Amino acid sequence: APDGIVAGQAWECETKVALSQYQRAKTGALFVAATCAGALTAGVDPAPWRALGEALGNHLVNTHPHLFTAHNTIKGFLNLTIADAFWFECINNANNNAVGSNGKTVMVEYSSPNTNKPLHLGHLRNNFLGWSIAAILEATGNKVVKTCIVNDRGIHICKSMIAWQLFANGATPASTGKKGDHFVGDYYVKFNDAYKAEIANLVAGGMTSELAEKEAPIMKATQKMLLDWEAGDLAVLELWRNMNGWVYEGFDVTYKSIGSDFDKTYYESETYLLGKDLVEYGLTKNVFYKKEDGSVWIDLTTDGLDEKLVQRKDGTSVYMTQDIGLAQTKQKEFNADQSIYVVGDEQNYHFKVLKLICQKLELPSADGIYHLSYGMVELPTGKMKSREGTVVDADDLVAAMIDIAKQKTEELGKVKDFTEQELETLYHTIGLGALKFFLLRVDPKKKMIFNPEESIDFHGFTGPFIQYTHARIKSILRKTGTDVELTTSELLPLEKALAIEITNFPAVINEAAETLDPSKVAIYTFNLAKLFNSFYAELSISNAESAEKK
């Protein structure tokens, strides 16, 4: 320590030096500071802490000349100037920087559609979140398994089936020229319309609304169909397979269009009986208890929750039981360290209960269960409702985004030499980029309002702005070549700022993986593009004063 700093003085001298030349600095986490806390406030002569800062600064500059070029000490803080050579080294090695090597096996479950309707706007946010999280986790060295559970059975599926029997007159997607999932979804809406009409007639005849909802003929027919399905009625099963097949063909087209895929798809019709053995196991371990009517429950009141049914009195499973069984099945199949469920925040309670029950049953999968809860997507006009046909179908929205991309691009010109195929690819790329970025740029936990026109602005906080910047960079590289080793001895301020931002990339990816938040990558990418455009506008590469500066 410099003269003047002695043990027992009335103020503390704290020196903090966190320094790693290559690893941490490349992630933008370089922090070097020397502080003498309390020196000024205690009225002590500032010379000691200034001397300490000077001593540390001189030592670091002299012993690490390739990293530091200058220093000064102001108000207890040691400021160091990083050598331009260091930033050049970071840029030259940027493509080689390892983002992470966690080495875990992680399952990410997303999409989870119902086979009584097409995918909608909410499914798009779900798919983009799930797919992005999977990509981010892969980038940080994890083995990722992307899964989907399809809700292909139950009363809601039977509603579409009954409506088709009543109103379709044998029509099919092929005969009507309509996409399969849209075709089936139309009959789900027709069911609701017919159901409401029957309720109104019964009420008009003197029946209470509550009783009318139970006695409506179309609802009774639907309930019977569900019982027939569970009993294995061949005619019902054939209709069920045909209509689900139409929906799957439609889903496949949508998934291909939006770039979403899965390594494994589970179907509720194959998993709904899972978990029954776990109910018996839970009873023997006193995790569950049976009521007088034969139903099986778990008491979670001591955990701050409530009592939860896990098996009905007739021995049939509930959704919770199925999910417990599926969690066990997935764990046996993939032996994952973590299982991430991408599901809307209306299911927060469900997943709290699921994890707690799995932990009480001491299932190997229990501690790794994580609910990636996200807020709903609304339109400027408000919420959407499937049964009333007010949902924005994913296909319709994608088509609208492509049309907006076409309109905006044609206004700018510059595409006169494109072929029809090139234009089709271009408009799809811009439209989907705008849609994905807009839905991913917001923290998943927050609700959001989607505005198609705003999402495709070429000059705003949007995907097309980033795509335009990327295209600009590719154009520069085509003109100047890419085989360049950066060796210039001096960086201009904007060049240095850009270099620093580039080195932050691995840290951003790691943070996004730790928080399961793709918005961090979206925001970083936008800021990087914005900074590059400032650099590009001020420092013309093609008109640089020398070959070295170019």
Side-chain angles (χ1 to χ4, degrees), residues 513-535:
E514 290 171 6
T515 59
L516 299 178
D517 182 0
S519 72
K520 296 186 184 302
V521 182
I523 294 167
Y524 167 82
T525 310
F526 170 73
N527 288 333
L528 181 64
K530 189 167 61 171
L531 185 56
F532 174 82
N533 279 289
S534 297
F535 155 77

PDB file of all heavy atoms in Angstrom, residues 513-535:
ATOM      1  N   ALA A 513     -30.416 -17.721 -21.772  1.00  0.00           N
ATOM      2  CA  ALA A 513     -30.588 -19.135 -21.412  1.00  0.00           C
ATOM      3  C   ALA A 513     -30.914 -19.286 -19.929  1.00  0.00           C
ATOM      4  O   ALA A 513     -31.771 -20.091 -19.547  1.00  0.00           O
ATOM      5  CB  ALA A 513     -29.317 -19.914 -21.758  1.00  0.00           C
ATOM      6  N   GLU A 514     -30.247 -18.509 -19.095  1.00  0.00           N
ATOM      7  CA  GLU A 514     -30.478 -18.607 -17.651  1.00  0.00           C
ATOM      8  C   GLU A 514     -31.873 -18.128 -17.265  1.00  0.00           C
ATOM      9  O   GLU A 514     -32.519 -18.688 -16.380  1.00  0.00           O
ATOM     10  CB  GLU A 514     -29.425 -17.783 -16.904  1.00  0.00           C
ATOM     11  CG  GLU A 514     -28.029 -18.381 -16.963  1.00  0.00           C
ATOM     12  CD  GLU A 514     -26.974 -17.441 -16.411  1.00  0.00           C
ATOM     13  OE1 GLU A 514     -27.357 -16.371 -15.886  1.00  0.00           O
ATOM     14  OE2 GLU A 514     -25.782 -17.763 -16.513  1.00  0.00           O
ATOM     15  N   THR A 515     -32.352 -17.088 -17.945  1.00  0.00           N
ATOM     16  CA  THR A 515     -33.656 -16.511 -17.607  1.00  0.00           C
ATOM     17  C   THR A 515     -34.780 -17.033 -18.499  1.00  0.00           C
ATOM     18  O   THR A 515     -35.940 -16.690 -18.283  1.00  0.00           O
ATOM     19  CB  THR A 515     -33.599 -14.976 -17.735  1.00  0.00           C
ATOM     20  OG1 THR A 515     -33.226 -14.623 -19.081  1.00  0.00           O
ATOM     21  CG2 THR A 515     -32.586 -14.381 -16.762  1.00  0.00           C
ATOM     22  N   LEU A 516     -34.430 -17.846 -19.499  1.00  0.00           N
ATOM     23  CA  LEU A 516     -35.399 -18.352 -20.476  1.00  0.00           C
ATOM     24  C   LEU A 516     -36.204 -17.201 -21.071  1.00  0.00           C
ATOM     25  O   LEU A 516     -37.434 -17.217 -21.111  1.00  0.00           O
ATOM     26  CB  LEU A 516     -36.320 -19.382 -19.818  1.00  0.00           C
ATOM     27  CG  LEU A 516     -35.625 -20.632 -19.245  1.00  0.00           C
ATOM     28  CD1 LEU A 516     -36.635 -21.547 -18.580  1.00  0.00           C
ATOM     29  CD2 LEU A 516     -34.848 -21.381 -20.322  1.00  0.00           C
ATOM     30  N   ASP A 517     -35.490 -16.221 -21.573  1.00  0.00           N
ATOM     31  CA  ASP A 517     -36.115 -14.994 -22.068  1.00  0.00           C
ATOM     32  C   ASP A 517     -35.499 -14.582 -23.409  1.00  0.00           C
ATOM     33  O   ASP A 517     -34.465 -13.915 -23.457  1.00  0.00           O
ATOM     34  CB  ASP A 517     -35.923 -13.876 -21.040  1.00  0.00           C
ATOM     35  CG  ASP A 517     -36.600 -12.575 -21.456  1.00  0.00           C
ATOM     36  OD1 ASP A 517     -37.216 -12.545 -22.536  1.00  0.00           O
ATOM     37  OD2 ASP A 517     -36.491 -11.587 -20.705  1.00  0.00           O
ATOM     38  N   PRO A 518     -36.117 -14.974 -24.541  1.00  0.00           N
ATOM     39  CA  PRO A 518     -35.587 -14.614 -25.857  1.00  0.00           C
ATOM     40  C   PRO A 518     -35.598 -13.111 -26.125  1.00  0.00           C
ATOM     41  O   PRO A 518     -34.903 -12.644 -27.031  1.00  0.00           O
ATOM     42  CB  PRO A 518     -36.522 -15.336 -26.835  1.00  0.00           C
ATOM     43  CG  PRO A 518     -37.187 -16.389 -26.027  1.00  0.00           C
ATOM     44  CD  PRO A 518     -37.295 -15.840 -24.637  1.00  0.00           C
ATOM     45  N   SER A 519     -36.376 -12.339 -25.358  1.00  0.00           N
ATOM     46  CA  SER A 519     -36.428 -10.896 -25.610  1.00  0.00           C
ATOM     47  C   SER A 519     -35.056 -10.254 -25.409  1.00  0.00           C
ATOM     48  O   SER A 519     -34.756  -9.228 -26.021  1.00  0.00           O
ATOM     49  CB  SER A 519     -37.468 -10.221 -24.709  1.00  0.00           C
ATOM     50  OG  SER A 519     -37.044 -10.151 -23.360  1.00  0.00           O
ATOM     51  N   LYS A 520     -34.223 -10.862 -24.569  1.00  0.00           N
ATOM     52  CA  LYS A 520     -32.883 -10.312 -24.344  1.00  0.00           C
ATOM     53  C   LYS A 520     -32.059 -10.388 -25.628  1.00  0.00           C
ATOM     54  O   LYS A 520     -31.266  -9.496 -25.922  1.00  0.00           O
ATOM     55  CB  LYS A 520     -32.191 -11.053 -23.204  1.00  0.00           C
ATOM     56  CG  LYS A 520     -32.896 -10.881 -21.860  1.00  0.00           C
ATOM     57  CD  LYS A 520     -32.138 -11.489 -20.716  1.00  0.00           C
ATOM     58  CE  LYS A 520     -32.929 -11.368 -19.415  1.00  0.00           C
ATOM     59  NZ  LYS A 520     -33.273  -9.977 -19.062  1.00  0.00           N
ATOM     60  N   VAL A 521     -32.227 -11.455 -26.379  1.00  0.00           N
ATOM     61  CA  VAL A 521     -31.523 -11.579 -27.659  1.00  0.00           C
ATOM     62  C   VAL A 521     -32.107 -10.618 -28.683  1.00  0.00           C
ATOM     63  O   VAL A 521     -31.381  -9.987 -29.454  1.00  0.00           O
ATOM     64  CB  VAL A 521     -31.594 -13.028 -28.178  1.00  0.00           C
ATOM     65  CG1 VAL A 521     -30.815 -13.178 -29.484  1.00  0.00           C
ATOM     66  CG2 VAL A 521     -31.046 -13.993 -27.130  1.00  0.00           C
ATOM     67  N   ALA A 522     -33.440 -10.498 -28.691  1.00  0.00           N
ATOM     68  CA  ALA A 522     -34.094  -9.590 -29.637  1.00  0.00           C
ATOM     69  C   ALA A 522     -33.636  -8.148 -29.415  1.00  0.00           C
ATOM     70  O   ALA A 522     -33.295  -7.434 -30.356  1.00  0.00           O
ATOM     71  CB  ALA A 522     -35.612  -9.696 -29.490  1.00  0.00           C
ATOM     72  N   ILE A 523     -33.626  -7.722 -28.152  1.00  0.00           N
ATOM     73  CA  ILE A 523     -33.228  -6.345 -27.827  1.00  0.00           C
ATOM     74  C   ILE A 523     -31.748  -6.125 -28.153  1.00  0.00           C
ATOM     75  O   ILE A 523     -31.373  -5.089 -28.716  1.00  0.00           O
ATOM     76  CB  ILE A 523     -33.520  -6.047 -26.346  1.00  0.00           C
ATOM     77  CG1 ILE A 523     -35.031  -6.055 -26.102  1.00  0.00           C
ATOM     78  CG2 ILE A 523     -32.927  -4.713 -25.922  1.00  0.00           C
ATOM     79  CD1 ILE A 523     -35.426  -6.072 -24.635  1.00  0.00           C
ATOM     80  N   TYR A 524     -30.917  -7.098 -27.810  1.00  0.00           N
ATOM     81  CA  TYR A 524     -29.489  -6.980 -28.124  1.00  0.00           C
ATOM     82  C   TYR A 524     -29.283  -6.846 -29.627  1.00  0.00           C
ATOM     83  O   TYR A 524     -28.508  -5.997 -30.099  1.00  0.00           O
ATOM     84  CB  TYR A 524     -28.726  -8.208 -27.601  1.00  0.00           C
ATOM     85  CG  TYR A 524     -27.326  -8.304 -28.161  1.00  0.00           C
ATOM     86  CD1 TYR A 524     -26.287  -7.560 -27.603  1.00  0.00           C
ATOM     87  CD2 TYR A 524     -27.056  -9.089 -29.273  1.00  0.00           C
ATOM     88  CE1 TYR A 524     -25.011  -7.617 -28.138  1.00  0.00           C
ATOM     89  CE2 TYR A 524     -25.786  -9.143 -29.809  1.00  0.00           C
ATOM     90  CZ  TYR A 524     -24.764  -8.417 -29.238  1.00  0.00           C
ATOM     91  OH  TYR A 524     -23.503  -8.460 -29.784  1.00  0.00           O
ATOM     92  N   THR A 525     -29.959  -7.688 -30.400  1.00  0.00           N
ATOM     93  CA  THR A 525     -29.789  -7.672 -31.856  1.00  0.00           C
ATOM     94  C   THR A 525     -30.222  -6.330 -32.438  1.00  0.00           C
ATOM     95  O   THR A 525     -29.568  -5.781 -33.335  1.00  0.00           O
ATOM     96  CB  THR A 525     -30.598  -8.813 -32.493  1.00  0.00           C
ATOM     97  OG1 THR A 525     -30.302 -10.030 -31.825  1.00  0.00           O
ATOM     98  CG2 THR A 525     -30.259  -8.958 -33.965  1.00  0.00           C
ATOM     99  N   PHE A 526     -31.318  -5.793 -31.930  1.00  0.00           N
ATOM    100  CA  PHE A 526     -31.773  -4.483 -32.399  1.00  0.00           C
ATOM    101  C   PHE A 526     -30.744  -3.407 -32.071  1.00  0.00           C
ATOM    102  O   PHE A 526     -30.409  -2.569 -32.927  1.00  0.00           O
ATOM    103  CB  PHE A 526     -33.118  -4.136 -31.757  1.00  0.00           C
ATOM    104  CG  PHE A 526     -33.550  -2.719 -32.001  1.00  0.00           C
ATOM    105  CD1 PHE A 526     -34.004  -2.319 -33.248  1.00  0.00           C
ATOM    106  CD2 PHE A 526     -33.490  -1.766 -30.987  1.00  0.00           C
ATOM    107  CE1 PHE A 526     -34.393  -1.003 -33.479  1.00  0.00           C
ATOM    108  CE2 PHE A 526     -33.872  -0.459 -31.207  1.00  0.00           C
ATOM    109  CZ  PHE A 526     -34.325  -0.074 -32.463  1.00  0.00           C
ATOM    110  N   ASN A 527     -30.220  -3.412 -30.848  1.00  0.00           N
ATOM    111  CA  ASN A 527     -29.229  -2.402 -30.461  1.00  0.00           C
ATOM    112  C   ASN A 527     -27.956  -2.520 -31.295  1.00  0.00           C
ATOM    113  O   ASN A 527     -27.344  -1.517 -31.665  1.00  0.00           O
ATOM    114  CB  ASN A 527     -28.897  -2.537 -28.972  1.00  0.00           C
ATOM    115  CG  ASN A 527     -30.035  -2.066 -28.091  1.00  0.00           C
ATOM    116  OD1 ASN A 527     -30.835  -1.222 -28.497  1.00  0.00           O
ATOM    117  ND2 ASN A 527     -30.144  -2.610 -26.895  1.00  0.00           N
ATOM    118  N   LEU A 528     -27.559  -3.758 -31.579  1.00  0.00           N
ATOM    119  CA  LEU A 528     -26.374  -3.966 -32.418  1.00  0.00           C
ATOM    120  C   LEU A 528     -26.617  -3.425 -33.826  1.00  0.00           C
ATOM    121  O   LEU A 528     -25.751  -2.746 -34.404  1.00  0.00           O
ATOM    122  CB  LEU A 528     -26.038  -5.457 -32.474  1.00  0.00           C
ATOM    123  CG  LEU A 528     -24.802  -5.850 -33.285  1.00  0.00           C
ATOM    124  CD1 LEU A 528     -23.539  -5.272 -32.670  1.00  0.00           C
ATOM    125  CD2 LEU A 528     -24.703  -7.373 -33.382  1.00  0.00           C
ATOM    126  N   ALA A 529     -27.798  -3.702 -34.388  1.00  0.00           N
ATOM    127  CA  ALA A 529     -28.127  -3.203 -35.725  1.00  0.00           C
ATOM    128  C   ALA A 529     -28.183  -1.678 -35.742  1.00  0.00           C
ATOM    129  O   ALA A 529     -27.711  -1.034 -36.684  1.00  0.00           O
ATOM    130  CB  ALA A 529     -29.469  -3.791 -36.175  1.00  0.00           C
ATOM    131  N   LYS A 530     -28.763  -1.119 -34.692  1.00  0.00           N
ATOM    132  CA  LYS A 530     -28.863   0.343 -34.606  1.00  0.00           C
ATOM    133  C   LYS A 530     -27.467   0.976 -34.543  1.00  0.00           C
ATOM    134  O   LYS A 530     -27.189   1.980 -35.221  1.00  0.00           O
ATOM    135  CB  LYS A 530     -29.685   0.720 -33.376  1.00  0.00           C
ATOM    136  CG  LYS A 530     -30.049   2.188 -33.274  1.00  0.00           C
ATOM    137  CD  LYS A 530     -31.108   2.428 -32.219  1.00  0.00           C
ATOM    138  CE  LYS A 530     -30.650   2.024 -30.846  1.00  0.00           C
ATOM    139  NZ  LYS A 530     -31.603   2.444 -29.781  1.00  0.00           N
ATOM    140  N   LEU A 531     -26.589   0.374 -33.753  1.00  0.00           N
ATOM    141  CA  LEU A 531     -25.224   0.894 -33.621  1.00  0.00           C
ATOM    142  C   LEU A 531     -24.466   0.751 -34.928  1.00  0.00           C
ATOM    143  O   LEU A 531     -23.734   1.656 -35.340  1.00  0.00           O
ATOM    144  CB  LEU A 531     -24.500   0.149 -32.497  1.00  0.00           C
ATOM    145  CG  LEU A 531     -23.109   0.636 -32.124  1.00  0.00           C
ATOM    146  CD1 LEU A 531     -23.126   2.117 -31.747  1.00  0.00           C
ATOM    147  CD2 LEU A 531     -22.555  -0.202 -30.972  1.00  0.00           C
ATOM    148  N   PHE A 532     -24.656  -0.381 -35.603  1.00  0.00           N
ATOM    149  CA  PHE A 532     -23.986  -0.556 -36.896  1.00  0.00           C
ATOM    150  C   PHE A 532     -24.435   0.507 -37.896  1.00  0.00           C
ATOM    151  O   PHE A 532     -23.617   1.043 -38.662  1.00  0.00           O
ATOM    152  CB  PHE A 532     -24.252  -1.944 -37.486  1.00  0.00           C
ATOM    153  CG  PHE A 532     -23.696  -2.079 -38.872  1.00  0.00           C
ATOM    154  CD1 PHE A 532     -22.362  -2.377 -39.074  1.00  0.00           C
ATOM    155  CD2 PHE A 532     -24.486  -1.836 -39.983  1.00  0.00           C
ATOM    156  CE1 PHE A 532     -21.829  -2.454 -40.355  1.00  0.00           C
ATOM    157  CE2 PHE A 532     -23.969  -1.904 -41.271  1.00  0.00           C
ATOM    158  CZ  PHE A 532     -22.634  -2.223 -41.454  1.00  0.00           C
ATOM    159  N   ASN A 533     -25.721   0.816 -37.910  1.00  0.00           N
ATOM    160  CA  ASN A 533     -26.205   1.810 -38.865  1.00  0.00           C
ATOM    161  C   ASN A 533     -25.633   3.197 -38.580  1.00  0.00           C
ATOM    162  O   ASN A 533     -25.372   3.968 -39.516  1.00  0.00           O
ATOM    163  CB  ASN A 533     -27.735   1.840 -38.856  1.00  0.00           C
ATOM    164  CG  ASN A 533     -28.330   0.722 -39.699  1.00  0.00           C
ATOM    165  OD1 ASN A 533     -28.257   0.744 -40.918  1.00  0.00           O
ATOM    166  ND2 ASN A 533     -28.891  -0.283 -39.048  1.00  0.00           N
ATOM    167  N   SER A 534     -25.420   3.512 -37.292  1.00  0.00           N
ATOM    168  CA  SER A 534     -24.770   4.785 -36.963  1.00  0.00           C
ATOM    169  C   SER A 534     -23.334   4.788 -37.483  1.00  0.00           C
ATOM    170  O   SER A 534     -22.856   5.772 -38.059  1.00  0.00           O
ATOM    171  CB  SER A 534     -24.769   4.993 -35.442  1.00  0.00           C
ATOM    172  OG  SER A 534     -26.086   5.083 -34.957  1.00  0.00           O
ATOM    173  N   PHE A 535     -22.659   3.677 -37.268  1.00  0.00           N
ATOM    174  CA  PHE A 535     -21.286   3.527 -37.765  1.00  0.00           C
ATOM    175  C   PHE A 535     -21.245   3.649 -39.293  1.00  0.00           C
ATOM    176  O   PHE A 535     -20.419   4.363 -39.868  1.00  0.00           O
ATOM    177  CB  PHE A 535     -20.750   2.162 -37.308  1.00  0.00           C
ATOM    178  CG  PHE A 535     -19.668   1.577 -38.155  1.00  0.00           C
ATOM    179  CD1 PHE A 535     -18.358   2.047 -38.069  1.00  0.00           C
ATOM    180  CD2 PHE A 535     -19.941   0.532 -39.026  1.00  0.00           C
ATOM    181  CE1 PHE A 535     -17.359   1.488 -38.845  1.00  0.00           C
ATOM    182  CE2 PHE A 535     -18.943  -0.019 -39.808  1.00  0.00           C
ATOM    183  CZ  PHE A 535     -17.648   0.462 -39.714  1.00  0.00           C
TER     184      PHE A 535
END
